Amino acid sequence: MMSLPFSLKYSAGPLFIALCSVVAFFFEPMSGNYLAYDRYAIQGLETWRIVSGNIVHTNGYHLLLNLAGLALLWALHGEHYRIGLYLKVFVWCCLGTSVGLYFFSPDLIWYAGLSGALHGIFAWGACVDIKEKMKSGWLLLIGLAIKVGYEQIDGSSEQVANLIDAKVAVDAHLFGALTGIAIFLLMFITAKRK
């Protein structure tokens, strides 16, 4: 069996997510109407929105900001991004973000974008760095905690909200980050038991 080259092996997951987001963007507004996180639609059993809401974006700036975040995270933690593992972590981060919003942010009716899942992948990658004895993992995790904590206290940036034509869903960042840490802990505990 032929193995993938290193760069493709560790970048295929983020590239797949980027491709899905770009394709969804080119089908706007239809993709947003059918795929975005929508509390009332989810209550009507359109449960795919729990994951798909993370792929659609409000505008081109929103998409570009999230794609830049996706690339930055790959630059930080790309060595941990085996295709299957990365996609599993991504989907779980989407689920954790959306389920957190659904149960703990009842005022948030509509949500779109990768940012919640990206915060989860950031947290997971920082935890993996810590496990691999990379001191930078602690700095990244502490920085993420400060950012998310600041957003919970002070809200989001008005400039970013204006740029993406939507209020920044800071709760999505919180639930994404918590999900990333929970996924790492579950993987770590499971690996220890084996």
Side-chain angles (χ1 to χ4, degrees):
M1 182 163 48
M2 192 170 138
S3 66
L4 293 170
F6 174 82
S7 59
L8 183 59
K9 182 178 179 181
Y10 293 96
S11 61
L15 287 173
F16 178 74
I17 300 306
L19 178 65
C20 290
S21 296
V22 169
V23 168
F25 178 74
F26 281 110
F27 284 97
E28 285 293 350
M30 186 176 67
S31 58
N33 291 338
Y34 291 102
L35 300 177
Y37 172 97
D38 181 321
R39 174 173 296 277
Y40 301 128
I42 292 168
Q43 289 171 348
L45 299 182
E46 294 182 17
T47 53
W48 63 84
R49 292 173 180 269
I50 292 171
V51 173
S52 66
N54 295 270
I55 300 297
V56 294
H57 292 83
T58 57
N59 62 26
Y61 295 117
H62 190 200
L63 174 65
L64 289 174
L65 283 172
N66 279 320
L67 292 179
L70 195 66
L72 179 62
L73 291 179
W74 176 80
L76 285 172
H77 306 122
E79 70 273 13
H80 309 313
Y81 289 1
R82 291 186 326 273
I83 299 167
L85 175 62
Y86 179 85
L87 292 176
K88 285 179 200 173
V89 171
F90 176 80
V91 169
W92 279 108
C93 287
C94 291
L95 288 168
T97 298
S98 295
V99 168
L101 291 174
Y102 188 83
F103 286 107
F104 301 108
S105 296
D107 294 340
L108 194 141
I109 306 302
W110 191 89
Y111 169 75
L114 287 170
S115 63
L118 291 179
H119 279 71
I121 291 192
F122 189 109
W124 174 82
C127 290
V128 174
D129 283 350
I130 291 166
K131 184 183 90 102
E132 299 292 325
K133 309 227 183 307
M134 297 171 68
K135 291 179 183 169
S136 60
W138 284 109
L139 292 174
L140 293 171
L141 199 58
I142 290 166
L144 179 64
I146 291 168
K147 177 197 182 285
V148 170
Y150 176 80
E151 288 178 336
Q152 288 297 306
I153 295 166
D154 206 41
S156 65
S157 160
E158 275 300 314
Q159 291 87 359
V160 174
N162 291 335
L163 187 65
I164 67 171
D165 282 336
K167 184 178 176 190
V168 177
V170 295
D171 286 352
H173 300 171
L174 172 65
F175 298 130
L178 292 174
T179 301
I181 292 168
I183 291 166
F184 169 79
L185 291 174
L186 288 170
M187 292 169 71
F188 184 74
I189 292 165
T190 304
K192 283 280 190 192
R193 286 185 179 166
K194 289 181 182 176

